[in-house]
């Protein structure tokens, strides 16, 4: 059993067939990087994994339990899935620490003091111990995104989903966020990462999954994908990067 399994998943928006028979298994501790042109279904795939979107056919399982079934205990499952988006979506009137403690106290019932200690640990881990009392508008985009990562980690997720988390950042702030993701990967976090950062994909990814037109068209280790892709779609995608 893999940690996260997509099993013949089909997703439609109205008449539009957006995910077409997608099979994808993510193993525990694996960093699976999803790349592909705009509109190929990458965000939708992640959103279905967190059940922000419903699927019409197939099944998605986390640790063997269906996420997509009608009677799935979605609140419990969601606690095991952390997600970080391109837009940081921090609560603007709460400090970094308060952003991180909110869900653990409200959803998990953690005591305030315990949640705060844990938040400070997590903020330290993403390099923001000194900023724990800062408000989002006092932080750079890179710092805000790192708070968003700490906030997701505060629920002790078993898998983290990242959807183009550096795309909205000024170029000089991209590295500090990728470094945090790199550390997380080294600590063994299971990660499903949609990104345009090919350096990161190559260095940190265990697998590169290329999506095109709602399908997985190549699934290769990075050394294969970037040196000698198995498919024409892979070759085409690479040639456009050069
Ligand atoms: P990517 O993240 O790879 O750019 P998306 O998953 O965002 O692709 O989109 C895949 C397809 O689904 C696109 O054709 C997009 O227009 C369509 N789509 C995404 N979200 C919606 C929605 N909420 N309603 C209708 N169509 C959508
Ligand atoms: Mg997207």
């Amino acid at each position: 059993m893999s940690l996260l399994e997509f099993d013949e998943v089909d997703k439609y928006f109205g008449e539009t067939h957006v995910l077409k028979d997608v099979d994808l298994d993510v193993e525990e501790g694996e960093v699976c990087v999803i790349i592909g042109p705009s509109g190929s279904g990458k965000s939708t795939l992640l959103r279905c994994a967190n059940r922000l979107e419903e699927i019409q056919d197939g099944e998605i399982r986390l640790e063997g339990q269906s996420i997509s079934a009608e009677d799935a205990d979605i609140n419990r499952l969601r606690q095991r899935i952390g997600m970080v988006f391109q837009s940081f979506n921090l609560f603007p009137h709460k400090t970094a620490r308060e952003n991180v403690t909110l869900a653990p106290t409200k959803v998990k019932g953690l005591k305030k003091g315990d949640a705060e200690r844990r938040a400070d640990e997590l903020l330290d881990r993403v390099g923001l111990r000194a900023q724990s009392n800062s408000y989002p508008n006092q932080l750079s985009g890179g710092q805000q995104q790192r708070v968003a990562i700490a906030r997701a980690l505060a629920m002790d997720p078993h898998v983290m989903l990242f959807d183009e988390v550096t795309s909205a950042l000024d170029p000089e702030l991209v590295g500090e966020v990728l470094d945090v993701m790199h550390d997380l990967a080294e600590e063994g976090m299971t990660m499903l990462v949609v990104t345009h950062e090919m350096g990161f994909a190559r260095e940190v990814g265990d697998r590169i999954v290329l999506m095109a037109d709602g399908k997985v068209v190549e699934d290769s280790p990075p050394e294969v994908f970037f040196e000698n892709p198995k498919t024409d779609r892979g070759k085409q995608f690479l040639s456009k990067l050069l």
Side-chain angles (χ1 to χ4, degrees), residues 76-196:
R76 222 167 63 84
L77 283 164
R78 267 202 196 126
Q79 290 185 32
R80 291 189 236 158
I81 306 175
M83 185 152 180
V84 186
F85 302 87
Q86 179 173 331
S87 53
F88 333 119
N89 299 324
L90 296 178
F91 300 105
H93 302 301
K94 293 190 182 294
T95 63
R97 184 193 282 125
E98 288 165 349
N99 266 280
V100 178
T101 55
L102 194 67
T105 51
K106 289 261 188 287
V107 181
K108 278 199 164 173
L110 225 64
K111 289 204 195 87
K112 192 161 174 265
D114 292 338
E116 285 177 347
R117 262 189 298 282
R118 172 98 171 103
D120 284 348
E121 259 170 48
L122 288 166
L123 288 169
D124 192 31
R125 189 160 153 196
V126 300
L128 293 174
R129 189 173 199 107
Q131 282 78 21
S132 60
N133 290 315
S134 301
Y135 288 88
N137 67 5
Q138 299 172 310
L139 300 172
S140 72
Q143 290 174 325
Q144 289 183 58
Q145 193 57 297
R146 286 185 281 147
V147 174
I149 294 172
R151 180 174 62 175
L153 292 173
M155 294 300 280
D156 296 314
H158 298 192
V159 59
M160 285 281 285
L161 313 176
F162 293 90
D163 192 2
E164 297 198 27
V165 296
T166 59
S167 295
L169 299 177
D170 292 334
E172 72 273 18
L173 302 178
V174 167
E176 64 192 52
V177 174
L178 294 180
D179 285 347
V180 166
M181 293 165 67
H182 195 153
D183 289 347
L184 262 185
E186 288 200 329
E187 289 159 21
M189 178 61 78
T190 308
M191 297 167 45
L192 192 51
V193 182
V194 174
T195 188
H196 296 296

Side-chain angles (χ1 to χ4, degrees), residues 197-242:
E197 295 292 333
M198 292 303 133
F200 176 88
R202 190 176 184 140
E203 193 182 344
V204 182
D206 295 304
R207 274 161 73 192
I208 308 296
V209 172
L210 174 64
M211 289 189 69
D213 191 26
K215 287 184 256 197
V216 170
V217 293
E218 177 153 353
D219 183 347
S220 295
E223 57 279 12
V224 173
F225 186 81
F226 289 107
E227 299 298 335
N228 191 14
K230 291 186 279 198
T231 63
D232 288 340
R233 293 306 280 266
K235 291 188 177 91
Q236 225 176 61
F237 184 84
L238 268 192
S239 70
K240 286 195 190 127
L241 294 178
L242 301 174

